[in-house]
């Protein structure tokens, strides 16, 4: 859990702000203050799809993005920008392999990364969807799918994050 949370914090507080500042010049503080209701809704629902109407509203009104851009980019982004899910799946797959005593080669680890990224892009923006695509990630390198039982308890908490 700690590895996933550290990765998510790095993405949210380092990588995303750097991209935001570099490409838009927007104040990071203003962005996070404006997006606060969206973050709270996303956390409480564990769903990027459920937050979409609120996200569009906040982005258009508070961040002054044109409706044409917001209404095209945000649905696309909520579907394909599932990097938190991909991060979680990679960490979960490696954790499960370690529990089973399976040594993964560099090639297998790269397959996990690639499969997790592709699976996350195709995952639905609903709670628990990552567990379904994690089956595909585990099977891609021969990790027993039964290992999912090991991560069921913390899954909901990490899904919220």
């Amino acid at each position: 859990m700690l590895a996933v949370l550290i990765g998510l914090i790095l993405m949210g507080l380092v990588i995303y702000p750097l991209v935001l500042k570099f490409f838009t010049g927007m104040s990071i503080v203003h962005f996070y203050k404006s997006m606060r209701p969206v973050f709270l809704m996303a956390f409480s629902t564990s769903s990027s799809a459920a937050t979409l109407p609120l996200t569009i509203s906040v982005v258009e009104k508070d961040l002054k993005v044109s409706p044409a851009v917001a209404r095209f980019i945000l649905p696309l982004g909520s579907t394909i920008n599932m990097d938190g899910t991909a991060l979680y799946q990679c960490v979960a797959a490696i954790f499960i392999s370690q529990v089973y005593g399976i040594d993964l080669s560099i090639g297998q680890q790269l397959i996990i990364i690639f499969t997790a990224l592709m699976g996350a892009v195709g995952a639905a923006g609903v709670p628990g969807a990552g567990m379904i695509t994690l089956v595909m990630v585990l099977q891609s390198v021969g990790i027993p799918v039964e290992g999912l039982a090991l991560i069921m308890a913390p899954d909901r908490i990490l899904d919220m994050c």
Side-chain angles (χ1 to χ4, degrees), residues 42-117:
F43 183 77
S44 63
T45 63
S46 299
S47 172
S48 56
T51 64
L52 196 51
L54 179 60
T55 305
I56 290 171
S57 175
V58 167
V59 166
E60 288 176 4
K61 291 178 184 161
D62 295 348
L63 300 179
K64 309 294 186 222
V65 174
S66 75
V69 171
R71 292 172 190 195
F72 175 73
I73 295 297
L74 291 172
L76 182 65
S78 76
T79 303
I80 64 172
N81 186 27
M82 301 290 235
D83 47 2
T85 300
L87 170 74
Y88 172 52
Q89 290 179 353
C90 289
V91 171
I94 291 171
F95 170 74
I96 293 168
S97 74
Q98 289 174 341
V99 168
Y100 279 98
I102 299 170
D103 289 327
L104 298 172
S105 68
I106 296 296
Q108 288 174 308
Q109 291 176 39
L110 291 174
I111 290 170
I112 287 172
I113 292 169
F114 178 76
T115 311
L117 286 170

